[in-house]
Amino acid sequence: MKKFRFSLETVLDYKQEVLSALQTEHAAILARVHAQEDLLEELENYYSELDAEFTERKLEGITILDAMQYEQYLRATERQIEEAVEILERLRAEAEAKRLEVVEAKKDTSSIEKLREKKLDSYNKAVQKSEELIIEEFVTTTRVMAAQGAYA
């Protein structure tokens, strides 16, 4: 019997390549999300430390000029935090969109893989049936030959 050949093998290969590329892109976006989360955490920690330092300096007594500088640093850090949050939200939305693309590509690939498995199973059953017929013919021929030899 001829060797198994799946007619959609090239399509399956293409779909798997697309899936792999999408997974790589998704991983890259997730890495950017994690980096942005780390940056945001650093900014929030810096803001907390700066605010605590400012509060401590106010209790000790601080010049108006120094107080104004602290206020400017705090406001600038707040703006950086807001920008970091916006970027993080955008990245998370991008990651979610890419995740949905990966899910769709996975569905496409899975359906073709399942079809391939069914075709392979069908092929294997046909091969098995063919082999059984060959064995059955051999056994029948052997019996007929043995029976002819007994009469001779």
Side-chain angles (χ1 to χ4, degrees), residues 106-121:
K106 185 72 172 163
K107 285 180 188 176
D108 288 348
T109 305
S110 292
S111 63
I112 295 173
E113 285 173 344
K114 286 179 184 174
L115 179 61
R116 183 183 189 283
E117 288 173 14
K118 285 181 183 178
K119 295 281 186 183
L120 181 59
D121 187 47

Side-chain angles (χ1 to χ4, degrees), residues 55-72:
T55 303
E56 186 179 314
R57 295 276 314 269
K58 283 192 289 187
L59 293 175
E60 295 171 354
I62 188 173
T63 66
I64 293 177
L65 183 60
D66 287 343
M68 288 175 62
Q69 285 179 334
Y70 271 105
E71 296 258 342
Q72 285 179 340

